[in-house]
Each structure stands twice: as C-alpha cells, then as structure tokens.
Amino acid sequence: CKDELIVTDGSKYLHFWDPSTMAEKRKIPVTRLSGEPAVEMNEIEFWRGRVLANVWFEDVLLVIDPETGTVEKEYDFATLWPKADRAKHGADVFNGISVSEDPNVLYVTGKQWDRMFQIELLPEL
C-alpha cells in the first residue's frame, strides 16, 4: 500500500489509486468474518499496515488486510454510546476514525456526536 491512496465507494471493494495520476491501480473485494461481502464501508484509515473501516449504520470497525481484502477482526462498538442514548442527544451513526501521534491510540466518533472516544485496539492488530 505504499504510495497508494485507498478509497471506498460503499461497495464491497477497496480501490487503490496512484496519488500522482489518481488512476486506479487495483481494487480488492473485502470479505467479513461471516463470509459475506463488506458492503457499506464508509470512513477508512490506514493504521499499522491495515485498513480500518467503519460500516455505515453499524457500530462496527473492521480491520482489513489491504493485500487480500480479508477482514481480520471486527470490533463491535454498540455499547460505546448505545443508539438509544445518543438518539436523545440528536446524534446519529458511528462514523469517524482518527489515528493519533501515539501508535496505540485511535479516536472514534459519529455523525453529529458531541463527543469523541479514545480507544486502544488489541496489540496484535
């Protein structure tokens, strides 16, 4: 993934573009742990050699091998700020990932959330 831009379009594919020409170099289908295609991938970040992707309208974060498209881990954030609680605040879906200067720390948030959560994922991922 060196010298490639990684793009998602909501389909089951991750697209890899040449940053100079913006031409697609390759694309790979992403498969969830269930064996189903990973559709509705939305916000993505490159972290520790893996692609992190949230799934639109799910409180889930996928850890994807960018060479094979295999989802290696699925983190369920449904209890981070439960939908019923955030609805009271006018907040919408889980949708926001940010890396930090600390390689062990990520930040997650959502649409119209008034808060951000600092998280650490398992060390091997």
Coordinates of all heavy atoms in Angstrom, one line a residue, residues 3-5 15-26:
D3 N 2.6 4.3 -1.3 CA 2.4 5.2 -2.4 C 1.1 5.0 -3.1 O 1.0 5.1 -4.4 CB 3.5 5.2 -3.4 CG 4.9 5.6 -2.8 OD1 4.9 6.5 -2.0 OD2 5.9 4.9 -3.1
E4 N 0.0 4.6 -2.4 CA -1.3 4.4 -2.9 C -2.3 5.2 -2.1 O -2.1 5.2 -0.8 CB -1.7 3.0 -3.0 CG -0.9 2.1 -3.9 CD -1.3 0.6 -3.8 OE1 -1.3 0.1 -2.7 OE2 -1.5 0.0 -4.9
L5 N -3.3 5.7 -2.7 CA -4.4 6.3 -1.9 C -5.5 5.1 -1.9 O -5.7 4.4 -2.9 CB -5.0 7.5 -2.7 CG -4.2 8.7 -2.8 CD1 -4.9 9.7 -3.6 CD2 -3.8 9.2 -1.4
H15 N -10.5 0.5 -3.3 CA -9.8 0.9 -4.5 C -8.5 1.5 -4.1 O -8.4 2.3 -3.1 CB -10.7 1.9 -5.3 CG -12.0 1.4 -5.6 ND1 -12.3 0.8 -6.8 CD2 -13.2 1.4 -4.9 CE1 -13.6 0.4 -6.8 NE2 -14.1 0.8 -5.6
F16 N -7.5 1.2 -4.9 CA -6.1 1.8 -4.7 C -5.7 2.6 -5.9 O -5.7 2.1 -7.0 CB -5.1 0.6 -4.4 CG -5.5 -0.2 -3.2 CD1 -6.5 -1.2 -3.2 CD2 -4.9 0.0 -2.0 CE1 -6.8 -1.9 -2.1 CE2 -5.2 -0.7 -0.8 CZ -6.2 -1.7 -0.9
W17 N -5.5 3.9 -5.6 CA -5.2 4.8 -6.7 C -3.8 5.3 -6.6 O -3.2 5.4 -5.5 CB -6.1 6.1 -6.5 CG -7.6 5.9 -6.7 CD1 -8.2 4.7 -7.1 CD2 -8.6 6.8 -6.6 NE1 -9.6 4.9 -7.2 CE2 -9.8 6.2 -6.9 CE3 -8.6 8.2 -6.2 CZ2 -11.0 6.9 -6.8 CZ3 -9.8 8.9 -6.1 CH2 -11.0 8.2 -6.4
D18 N -3.2 5.6 -7.8 CA -1.9 6.3 -7.9 C -2.1 7.7 -7.4 O -3.0 8.4 -8.0 CB -1.4 6.2 -9.3 CG -0.1 6.8 -9.5 OD1 0.1 8.0 -9.2 OD2 0.8 6.1 -9.9
P19 N -1.4 8.2 -6.4 CA -1.6 9.6 -6.0 C -1.2 10.7 -7.0 O -1.7 11.8 -6.9 CB -0.8 9.7 -4.7 CG 0.2 8.6 -4.8 CD -0.4 7.5 -5.6
S20 N -0.4 10.3 -7.9 CA 0.0 11.3 -8.9 C -1.0 11.5 -10.0 O -1.3 12.6 -10.5 CB 1.4 10.9 -9.5 OG 2.4 10.9 -8.5
T21 N -1.5 10.4 -10.5 CA -2.4 10.4 -11.6 C -3.9 10.2 -11.2 O -4.8 10.4 -12.0 CB -2.1 9.3 -12.6 OG1 -2.3 8.0 -12.0 CG2 -0.6 9.4 -13.1
M22 N -4.1 9.8 -10.0 CA -5.5 9.4 -9.5 C -6.1 8.3 -10.3 O -7.3 8.1 -10.2 CB -6.4 10.7 -9.5 CG -5.9 11.8 -8.7 SD -5.5 11.4 -7.0 CE -7.1 11.5 -6.2
A23 N -5.3 7.5 -11.0 CA -5.8 6.4 -11.7 C -5.8 5.2 -10.8 O -5.0 5.0 -9.9 CB -4.8 6.1 -12.9
E24 N -6.9 4.4 -11.0 CA -7.0 3.2 -10.1 C -5.9 2.2 -10.5 O -5.8 1.8 -11.7 CB -8.3 2.5 -10.3 CG -8.6 1.4 -9.4 CD -10.0 0.9 -9.4 OE1 -10.8 1.4 -8.7 OE2 -10.3 0.0 -10.2
K25 N -5.1 1.7 -9.6 CA -4.1 0.7 -9.8 C -4.6 -0.7 -9.6 O -4.2 -1.6 -10.3 CB -2.9 1.0 -8.9 CG -2.2 2.3 -9.1 CD -1.2 2.7 -8.0 CE 0.0 1.7 -7.9 NZ 1.0 2.1 -6.9
R26 N -5.5 -0.8 -8.6 CA -6.1 -2.1 -8.3 C -7.3 -1.9 -7.4 O -7.5 -0.9 -6.9 CB -5.0 -3.0 -7.6 CG -4.6 -2.5 -6.3 CD -3.4 -3.3 -5.8 NE -2.9 -2.7 -4.5 CZ -3.2 -3.2 -3.3 NH1 -3.9 -4.3 -3.2 NH2 -2.7 -2.7 -2.2

